[in-house]
Amino acid sequence: MTHWTRKLASPIWLVPILAAFIAGWMVWQERDQSGPEITVQIKDAEGLQAGKTAVRVRNVDVGQVTQITLSDNFEAAELHIEMNAGTADMLVEDSQFWVVKPRIGRRGISGLNTLLSGAYVQLEPGESSQSRNQFTALEQPPVTDADTDGKRIVLESDSAANIVVGDSVQYRGVTVGIVEQVDFSVEARATTYHVLIKSPYDELLTENTRFWLQRGVSFRWKPDGVDVSVGSIESLLGAGISFGVPNGQPLGKPLQAMAVFELFASEEEAEQQGYSRGIDYVLLLDESVDGLAVGSPVMFKGIRVGTVVEVPFRWQPDENSGQPLRLIPVLIRYEPDRLEGLVASTELEQWRQHLQHFFEQGLRASIRASNILTNTLYVDLRFYPDEEAVKQDTFAGYPVMPTIVSNFSRLEEKLNSILDTLNSLPLNQSVNQFTEAMASTDETAEEIKVLTEQLKKIVAQPGWEALPQSLAQSVERLNSILADFDAGSTNRDQLERTLQNLERMSRDLQPLVETLRRKPNALLFNTETENDPEPKAKD
C-alpha cells in the first residue's frame, strides 16, 4: 500500500462522511415531515405577515405563509404557503381559502379574536378528488359550511331588494335558511339569490312553495282600511326572505335540490300571482288604462279569478298589421285554480269551453276602479244579457275576450263634461262680484259693531234702567189729556167756542191789518180816503 493510499484510508475521514450522512438524513427527515407548497391569490394582504400568518382548519394550524409577493399583473397579492405534512388531501379543486379578520356587517361583528393574535388564513377543505396547488381566496367568508345539511335553491327577481349575503330566510317567523350568494345578470337585468334551506326545514319546500321579500314595515290597502305589518328585527335592518304555500293551494310534491323559484316583491303578490296555470286572453279596450298595472286582479262578483299579465300588451306588429293603434290591448290570465273548492273541476281545457259558452251568454270584461283615491283599476267580469253574441277572434295568437265600456268610464266622461261646463262659466267675474259684496258686508258689519258699542255705552249710563218706567208714566198722562178732549166733553166744547171767537176776531181785524199794510202811519194821521188821481196832460 502506497503512502497516498494509507493517507486516504485514514480514520479521520469517517468524521466528514458521518456528518454528511447525518445532514442528508436531516434534510430527508425535514422534507418528509413538511407538506406541499401552494400559492393563494388575494385581493389585499392587509394584516398578513410572512413567517407569522398561520393557515388554519377548525382552529388547528396546518401551514404558514412564508412569502408575500405581487402577482404578475400587479392586480393581486400572492401568498406563498408551506403546508404541514399530511395536508395534501385537503388541497383539492373545490377547497376554499379566505382571510379571517375583524368584520362588521348585518350579521354582527366577527373575528374579534384576531385583534390580539392577528389575522390568519382559513382553509375549508373540498370534496373533489382532483388535487390543486394554486387558489384564489374569497373576498368574504362563506356563511355556511360546505357539509351543512339541507337543500340549496335559486331565487330569481327583477325587482329592487336590499338582500345581501348572510340575510336570513324565514318560515312563519322562524329562521330556517340563509342567503349564500347574490349575483346580478346584466343581460337579464335580474338578480339571482343562492339560498340554503337547512335540514330538517328543507322538507317544507314543495312545488307550490312561493318566496317573497319580507320588508321591515309594509303597508297594504284593504277594503276596511290600511293594514300595517312589521317584520322581524333583521328585516327592519334591511330585508329578509320568507316563503310558504298560498292559502287555498295544496302543498304539492317535495322538491329536489337546486330548484328555481321566482322571488315576489310582497306576500300579497306571492299569494295573488303564485298560480302557474292559466288561460291567456287579450282585452281590446276602448278606454283609458291609466291605473291598471301588471298584477292587478281580474274579478268576478267579488272573487278573484285571474291576473293582469301585461298592460299594454306589446305584440310588436309589423307595417302590414293594419291601421294605427285605436284600441288598447291588455293581456290577462284566467286562473281556474283560484276557484278550487267552488267548482267541480279546474281543468284548463274544460274552462276554455266554459268561457266560450259564457261569452255567448253575455260575459264581458270591463275596467272598474277599486280605489278612487289611489286611481287603481281592476278587470271586472260580469254578464250583460242584452249584449249580442260575438264571434271568437284572435289577436297576436291569443284569443280575444269580449269587452264593454264600463260605467266608470261613462261617469268619467260625464264628470269631464260637467267640468267643461263649469270652466265655460264666467266664474272670475262672479268671484270678483262676490268678493266686492263680501267687502261691503264687512264694512256694514263694522258699522253695526261701532253702533252696538255706542248703544252699550248709552245703556250703561245711570238712570237708563228707569227710562222705560218714565216713558210709561208720560204715555199714561198723554192718554189722560187726550181723554179730556173726546167728543161731547166740556173741555172740547169750550175749546171749539174759543176757536170760533178767534175766527170772528180774525175777520174783524182784517180791515185794520190791510190799512196798516198800505199806510203804516194810519194810527197817527188822518186816514180819510183820497180820490183816485185823474190823469191829464202836462203843462
Side-chain angles (χ1 to χ4, degrees):
M1 181 178 294
T2 63
H3 174 72
W4 288 104
T5 303
R6 289 194 304 269
K7 188 176 182 179
L8 289 174
S10 175
I12 196 63
W13 287 102
L14 294 175
V15 175
I17 294 174
L18 182 60
F21 176 78
I22 293 175
W25 178 83
M26 293 179 64
V27 170
W28 178 84
Q29 186 71 15
E30 179 68 18
R31 288 191 175 184
D32 184 63
Q33 294 181 356
S34 64
E37 295 183 357
I38 61 174
T39 302
V40 178
Q41 282 196 353
I42 189 171
K43 186 176 181 180
D44 188 355
E46 178 184 5
L48 305 181
Q49 296 181 5
K52 294 184 178 181
T53 300
V55 178
R56 297 179 180 176
V57 176
R58 303 185 185 277
N59 289 326
V60 177
D61 291 352
V62 294
Q64 189 178 62
V65 177
T66 59
Q67 186 179 6
I68 302 177
T69 60
L70 287 175
S71 62
D72 296 338
N73 55 8
F74 308 108
E75 294 182 355
E78 287 188 350
L79 305 180
H80 299 270
I81 300 174
E82 183 176 340
M83 301 294 295
N84 296 344
T87 60
D89 294 339
M90 301 180 182
L91 307 174
V92 292
E93 191 72 25
D94 55 348
S95 297
Q96 294 180 333
F97 290 82
W98 66 90
V99 177
V100 178
K101 57 184 178 180
R103 299 178 188 270
I104 300 178
R106 191 179 293 177
R107 291 179 293 162
I109 302 175
S110 62
L112 290 180
N113 59 331
T114 59
L115 291 176
L116 298 177
S117 61
Y120 62 90
V121 178
Q122 180 72 34
L123 167 61
E124 181 70 29
E127 298 180 355
S128 174
S129 59
Q130 184 68 31
S131 61
R132 187 176 180 182
N133 59 6
Q134 292 185 348
F135 300 89
T136 300
L138 302 176
E139 295 184 7
Q140 297 288 338
V143 294
T144 57
D145 296 334
D147 56 353
T148 302
D149 293 334
K151 291 181 181 179
R152 287 177 168 82
I153 60 174
V154 178
L155 304 179
E156 296 180 346
S157 173
D158 56 359
S159 60
N162 190 22
I163 299 295
V164 298
V165 173
D167 281 349
S168 63
V169 179
Q170 298 183 354
Y171 180 83
R172 297 182 180 179
V174 179
T175 300
V176 298
I178 194 170
V179 178
E180 293 185 316
Q181 183 178 344
V182 179
D183 298 323
F184 180 78
S185 174
V186 178
E187 294 78 9
R189 289 178 171 82
T191 307
T192 301
Y193 304 95
H194 296 264
V195 173
L196 170 66
I197 305 298
K198 300 179 181 179
S199 179
Y201 306 108
D202 55 348
E203 297 180 2
L204 299 171
L205 298 175
T206 61
E207 59 183 0
N208 288 330
T209 301
R210 300 293 179 263
F211 289 81
W212 64 87
L213 293 174
Q214 182 63 53
R215 304 185 186 277
V217 180
S218 62
F219 298 87
R220 178 180 177 183
W221 286 96
K222 299 178 66 177
D224 56 350
V226 181
D227 181 18
V228 181
S229 61
V230 180
S232 62
I233 298 298
E234 295 179 354
S235 61
L236 288 174
L237 297 177
I241 297 176
S242 296
F243 69 93
V245 177
N247 295 330
Q249 289 200 37
L251 295 178
K253 299 178 181 179
L255 290 180
Q256 302 298 324
M258 297 309 294
V260 179
F261 293 88
E262 179 181 359
L263 180 61
F264 295 97
S266 64
E267 181 179 2
E268 179 184 9
E269 185 177 347
E271 291 180 355
Q272 300 301 338
Q273 300 188 33
Y275 292 83
S276 57
R277 301 192 318 148
I279 307 172
D280 293 338
Y281 287 94
V282 172
L283 306 181
L284 299 178
L285 300 174
D286 191 11
E287 53 187 313
S288 174
V289 295
D290 184 24
L292 187 66
V294 174
S296 297
V298 178
M299 308 291 291
F300 176 75
K301 295 184 178 181
I303 300 176
R304 181 161 184 169
V305 295
T307 304
V308 175
V309 178
E310 187 175 352
V311 53
F313 173 50
R314 303 180 184 276
W315 75 99
Q316 304 299 335
D318 53 23
E319 296 180 355
N320 300 324
S321 60
Q323 297 180 354
L325 182 65
R326 187 178 66 85
L327 303 177
I328 305 299
V330 175
L331 183 63
I332 68 170
R333 177 168 297 159
Y334 190 89
E335 299 160 335
D337 290 338
R338 296 181 181 274
L339 301 176
E340 181 73 33
L342 298 176
V343 294
S345 174
T346 59
E347 292 297 328
L348 298 183
E349 190 59 36
Q350 292 185 11
W351 271 98
R352 285 191 178 92
Q353 299 175 7
H354 292 332
L355 290 174
Q356 180 59 36
H357 183 61
F358 291 156
F359 297 156
E360 296 175 357
Q361 294 180 346
L363 182 65
R364 299 292 184 269
S366 62
I367 302 299
R368 290 183 176 268
S370 59
N371 193 317
I372 298 178
L373 297 178
T374 58
N375 191 32
T376 54
L377 305 179
Y378 69 95
V379 177
D380 180 68
L381 301 182
R382 63 179 58 193
F383 286 94
Y384 297 87
D386 297 335
E387 291 294 321
E388 297 181 357
V390 294
K391 182 180 178 181
Q392 181 68 51
D393 197 3
T394 59
F395 182 90
Y398 293 95
V400 175
M401 179 178 292
T403 60
I404 189 173
V405 178
S406 63
N407 294 330
F408 175 77
S409 298
R410 295 172 181 171
L411 177 61
E412 185 179 6
E413 293 178 358
K414 292 181 180 180
L415 291 177
N416 291 332
S417 177
I418 294 174
L419 292 176
D420 293 339
T421 303
L422 292 176
N423 290 332
S424 63
L425 295 176
L427 295 180
N428 292 334
Q429 181 179 357
S430 301
V431 170
N432 293 334
Q433 294 176 354
F434 178 75
T435 303
E436 295 175 358
M438 291 301 296
S440 177
T441 303
D442 293 340
E443 295 177 358
T444 304
E446 187 64 27
E447 293 177 357
I448 294 176
K449 181 178 180 181
V450 174
L451 181 60
T452 303
E453 295 294 334
Q454 295 177 354
L455 183 59
K456 288 181 178 179
K457 293 180 180 178
I458 295 174
V459 173
Q461 293 179 357
W464 178 261
E465 296 180 354
L467 181 60
Q469 184 177 2
S470 299
L471 289 176
Q473 294 176 356
S474 299
V475 171
E476 184 177 358
R477 291 176 182 176
L478 181 60
N479 290 333
S480 177
I481 294 172
L482 292 176
D484 293 339
F485 291 94
D486 289 342
S489 64
T490 304
N491 291 334
R492 183 171 180 175
D493 293 341
Q494 186 178 358
L495 180 60
E496 288 180 353
R497 288 194 300 271
T498 301
L499 291 176
Q500 291 176 359
N501 293 333
L502 289 175
E503 184 179 359
R504 287 195 299 269
M505 185 182 293
S506 176
R507 287 197 302 267
D508 294 341
L509 291 176
Q510 186 68 27
L512 178 60
V513 173
E514 182 65 24
T515 301
L516 291 176
R517 186 181 62 78
R518 287 186 293 103
K519 293 185 66 176
N521 57 355
L523 296 175
L524 299 177
F525 300 97
N526 188 14
T527 60
E528 296 181 354
T529 303
E530 296 182 359
N531 297 327
D532 293 336
E534 181 180 355
K536 61 182 178 177
K538 186 178 180 181
D539 294 341

